[in-house]
Amino acid sequence: KALKVDNFYPLSLVLSHGMKGLDEYDGDDHDEKRLNQIDTSTAASGDYENEDGTNQFDRRTAIPQDLRIDLYGGVITLSPASTPLQWLQTLSNVTPSSLDILRKHRKNLQTYLDLIQNTWNVKMIRGHTCLSREYYHFIMNLYENIVDTNETTSTKHEESDDPDKKALALERIKVVVESSSNSRKRLPRGKVTKHGDVCISTAMSVQQIQSAIANLSNDARRIKQVEEEENQLCLKRMNLLRDALGLRNVFKMKPSTVTSDQVLDCLDRLFLLLDVDGVGGDVDYAQKKKMEELRCRLAGQSLGITGSGHFCHLGDDGSVLIPWDWHC
């Protein structure tokens, strides 16, 4: 039997040329102690041993030697350029103990996040540049620091009866963790993104992270509130365009760099062109007939708004996609 497991749940399968998120790890100095501890614990437990007794664990990456299997993020990455035999070799490296390790990592991570998020009143998110194993050890270090300093560990799973604390929970901000190798120079003190999130680096100390959250939280909440108001306005305008043209759906592509202001600009120009609001001014018969034909063609379709520089085209699901800065 080539495969060692009956199913791969909870692992996910990703086809990618770039092996996203599984690049070679440079082994920062602050992880040296943790990697040594992993070596000792895994050698003692035997969880990472192959059937022949050899150790399949790479101490510099803290994951199995085949980097296509991520036991922290729960992803198997296969290259479309590989042969079916190479795919089978990768899949055959997944063992029941691998799935147990992944479940253990996820359980531990959730435990760490519960304490950190409730203590600091934030929601921690792994950024696109942060490897899953780097994020795991970063969160674990924060957890250990909070436990060592005895910061409200007794309220880990308790609900506060203080109304002020409940109000703070409603204002919880999102903290995005980016890799130290990509953000060490750009994020010396953290920053607020255009979406109202606080962005930090894994190279920052606990004191720097606490200071960044305290100093940037008000700006983050203000930006988030403005964005929510703009999103509500976008939603109303999208629904108006949908009903006027008989569209099935109007949406913004995700993930996307298109801002709410750009979506509103795109919709306003569509309203003016199609005279949806009746504010298009005087138009001649030929132009009016052309607009009616366009309405007939768009009826029942899904209309998506994408980033700048893209031509009007069809999406994979048959949606009509237009750039926000479209031109006639």
Side-chain angles (χ1 to χ4, degrees):
K1 185 179 178 179
L3 301 180
K4 300 182 178 63
V5 294
D6 294 331
N7 67 77
F8 292 89
Y9 182 83
L11 284 167
S12 301
L13 181 63
V14 174
L15 294 176
S16 173
H17 289 286
M19 302 283 292
K20 182 178 181 181
L22 296 177
D23 303 321
E24 185 64 29
Y25 189 44
D26 59 3
D28 287 345
D29 294 339
H30 66 275
D31 281 329
E32 188 71 20
K33 180 179 178 181
R34 180 58 53 194
L35 292 174
N36 288 330
Q37 292 175 350
I38 292 175
D39 282 343
T40 303
S41 61
T42 53
S45 65
D47 287 341
Y48 292 87
E49 289 185 354
N50 294 318
E51 293 182 349
D52 58 1
T54 59
N55 197 304
Q56 63 168 326
F57 211 79
D58 185 344
R59 74 174 301 278
R60 299 306 299 173
T61 59
I63 60 174
Q65 291 179 354
D66 188 344
L67 295 178
R68 295 174 178 84
I69 303 177
D70 179 7
L71 296 184
Y72 289 95
V75 175
I76 303 175
T77 306
L78 301 179
S79 172
S82 300
T83 65
L85 181 59
Q86 290 173 318
W87 291 343
L88 182 60
Q89 290 174 343
T90 298
L91 296 176
S92 64
N93 288 331
V94 179
T95 64
S97 63
S98 301
L99 302 179
D100 292 338
I101 292 168
L102 173 59
R103 294 187 182 98
K104 181 179 179 181
H105 286 163
R106 288 188 169 180
K107 182 179 179 180
N108 291 343
L109 182 62
Q110 189 58 52
T111 300
Y112 303 153
L113 287 173
D114 285 344
L115 177 61
I116 295 170
Q117 294 178 153
N118 292 333
T119 301
W120 288 353
N121 193 38
V122 298
K123 181 176 179 59
M124 306 293 289
I125 300 293
R126 179 169 69 93
H128 293 294
T129 65
C130 189
L131 301 178
S132 56
R133 62 185 179 278
E134 183 181 11
Y135 178 71
Y136 179 90
H137 292 305
F138 172 78
I139 294 297
M140 180 170 59
N141 290 335
L142 291 183
Y143 171 85
E144 292 175 349
N145 181 273
I146 293 177
V147 171
D148 291 342
T149 55
N150 297 321
E151 294 181 1
T152 65
T153 54
S154 61
T155 60
K156 178 179 178 182
H157 296 296
E158 297 177 2
E159 292 185 1
S160 172
D161 295 330
D162 188 347
D164 292 336
K165 291 185 179 180
K166 290 184 178 180
L168 286 176
L170 296 176
E171 298 175 0
R172 178 169 292 187
I173 62 174
K174 185 185 297 183
V175 177
V176 181
V177 181
E178 298 293 351
S179 174
S180 59
S181 60
N182 290 277
S183 56
R184 185 171 298 169
K185 295 181 179 179
R186 292 181 297 164
L187 299 174
R189 300 180 184 86
K191 70 174 184 179
V192 179
T193 68
K194 63 181 180 180
H195 299 296
D197 304 328
V198 175
C199 191
I200 63 174
S201 164
T202 56
M204 297 172 63
S205 66
V206 176
Q207 291 73 21
Q208 288 176 323
I209 295 172
Q210 290 176 314
S211 178
I213 294 175
N215 295 333
L216 302 176
S217 58
N218 288 335
D219 290 340
R221 291 190 177 97
R222 177 179 53 80
I223 295 174
K224 181 68 71 174
Q225 182 179 2
V226 172
E227 184 185 39
E228 290 178 356
E229 293 174 355
E230 292 178 345
N231 287 337
Q232 290 297 324
L233 181 58
C234 285
L235 182 60
K236 292 180 180 179
R237 301 292 282 174
M238 286 179 176
N239 291 338
L240 177 61
L241 182 66
R242 179 199 62 194
D243 296 340
L245 300 182
L247 295 167
R248 183 173 61 181
N249 186 26
V250 180
F251 62 95
K252 181 176 72 173
M253 288 291 294
K254 296 182 179 180
S256 175
T257 59
V258 182
T259 65
S260 299
D261 290 339
Q262 293 170 340
V263 173
L264 288 174
D265 177 70
C266 174
L267 294 175
D268 288 341
R269 287 187 290 115
L270 278 174
F271 290 147
L272 185 62
L273 174 67
L274 302 178
D275 196 23
V276 172
D277 292 330
V279 296
D282 296 332
V283 293
D284 56 31
Y285 176 78
Q287 183 179 1
K288 190 173 182 179
K289 183 178 180 181
K290 186 176 181 180
M291 294 303 101
E292 289 297 333
E293 291 178 355
L294 183 58
R295 287 190 179 93
C296 294
R297 294 179 180 179
L298 289 175
Q301 303 292 330
S302 292
L303 183 66
I305 301 174
T306 65
S308 176
H310 299 282
F311 294 102
C312 296
H313 60 285
L314 291 178
D316 295 335
D317 58 352
S319 301
V320 179
L321 304 180
I322 61 173
W324 72 269
D325 56 349
W326 58 269
H327 297 284
C328 295

